[in-house]
Amino acid sequence: MQMPTRPPALPPEPTLVPSPLSPSSGVKLAIDYGPLLTFFGVNSFGDRLHPLLIRAGMAPGVKNIIVATAAFMAAIIVAVVVSRWKLGRVSPMLWFTAAVVTVFGSATLYFQDASFIKIKMTVIYLLFASVLLFGMATGRPLLKTVLGEAFPELDAHGWRKLTRNWIVFFIALAATNEVLRRQLTDDHYVAFKVWGVTAATLLFALAQTPILTRHSVERE
């Protein structure tokens, strides 16, 4: 009599033990906010660095925001390296931000003109809005590609609403930046960029909670 064949083994269930590459919240925060805090810190205390910079060959009288831009560029390169080392990958958004900072930061240093690093934020947010708008027009949930792991239960209608709101927010930030970069002093502008934009983004993200609640579906 032929013995019954043994059924194929089922794949193991996902383990709840974090892998060695699982990011800690501290590493994430350092990658996300470390370059900005470096920009703010060097701009705030740049006067104390001037003697060292002059000895290193930098012209005397250089503005703090120019020095802070150089530090910002270095810090975001470090963030890319740390992300690759600690998280095992570099997010597309970090790659994009690093590229834009490098281009506009280099122009700032070459021309010794802070207008380039100030306009960088306008360019970034308009590009973000354009990419999301293109995704909506072509039926591609590009925001879901970036945030899908954070909100796996959100339905298609919820993603459309969330995408629409972020497009409006990014355009509003770009417009605000265009006004304030012309009106504020360098120090006040850096404070706006680091603290004002960060606070506005966090508050806006929290304001999307009703959409996340109404359009979440139960996963079986």
Side-chain angles (χ1 to χ4, degrees):
M1 183 174 62
Q2 185 178 5
M3 298 294 291
T5 58
R6 185 177 181 181
L10 296 175
E13 294 185 1
T15 177
L16 298 178
V17 178
S19 67
L21 293 178
S22 295
S24 68
S25 58
V27 173
K28 282 184 176 181
L29 287 173
I31 291 171
D32 290 341
Y33 296 105
L36 277 178
L37 293 176
T38 300
F39 185 58
F40 178 79
V42 174
N43 182 77
S44 299
F45 302 102
D47 292 337
R48 301 180 185 180
L49 299 175
H50 281 179
L52 296 176
L53 296 173
I54 292 172
R55 290 195 202 104
M58 185 170 286
V62 65
K63 291 183 177 180
N64 287 354
I65 194 171
I66 304 295
V67 180
T69 297
F72 189 25
M73 294 169 64
I76 205 160
I77 292 173
V78 171
V80 170
V81 173
V82 170
S83 181
R84 178 61 182 168
W85 174 38
K86 289 292 188 180
L87 310 185
R89 63 186 293 270
V90 180
S91 68
M93 187 172 294
L94 181 56
W95 276 125
F96 172 75
T97 303
V100 175
V101 167
T102 299
V103 170
F104 284 88
S106 297
T108 299
L109 298 181
Y110 181 80
F111 293 104
Q112 293 290 292
D113 186 351
S115 298
F116 292 99
I117 199 64
K118 290 179 180 180
I119 203 174
K120 181 253 327 169
M121 195 168 79
T122 301
V123 172
I124 284 181
Y125 287 127
L126 286 181
L127 284 175
F128 283 169
S130 300
V131 168
L132 293 180
L133 191 59
F134 173 78
M136 285 189 69
T138 57
R140 302 174 186 177
L142 298 179
L143 188 65
K144 184 178 180 180
T145 303
V146 178
L147 300 178
E149 292 183 2
F151 309 113
E153 298 86 4
L154 195 62
D155 62 23
H157 194 46
W159 281 114
R160 284 194 296 272
K161 286 185 176 180
L162 205 61
T163 299
R164 175 202 63 199
N165 291 356
W166 277 103
I167 289 172
V168 173
F169 179 69
F170 286 143
I171 293 174
L173 277 183
T176 302
N177 186 65
E178 280 303 290
V179 173
L180 295 185
R181 75 181 182 89
R182 292 176 170 89
Q183 302 294 328
L184 300 180
T185 64
D186 289 344
D187 289 345
H188 289 161
Y189 177 82
V190 171
F192 153 73
K193 173 182 173 58
V194 175
W195 306 114
V197 173
T198 299
T201 303
L202 292 176
L203 290 174
F204 177 82
L206 288 175
Q208 307 313 300
T209 302
I211 293 178
L212 302 177
T213 302
R214 286 197 302 266
H215 294 279
S216 291
V217 294
E218 294 184 1
R219 303 180 69 189
E220 297 182 357

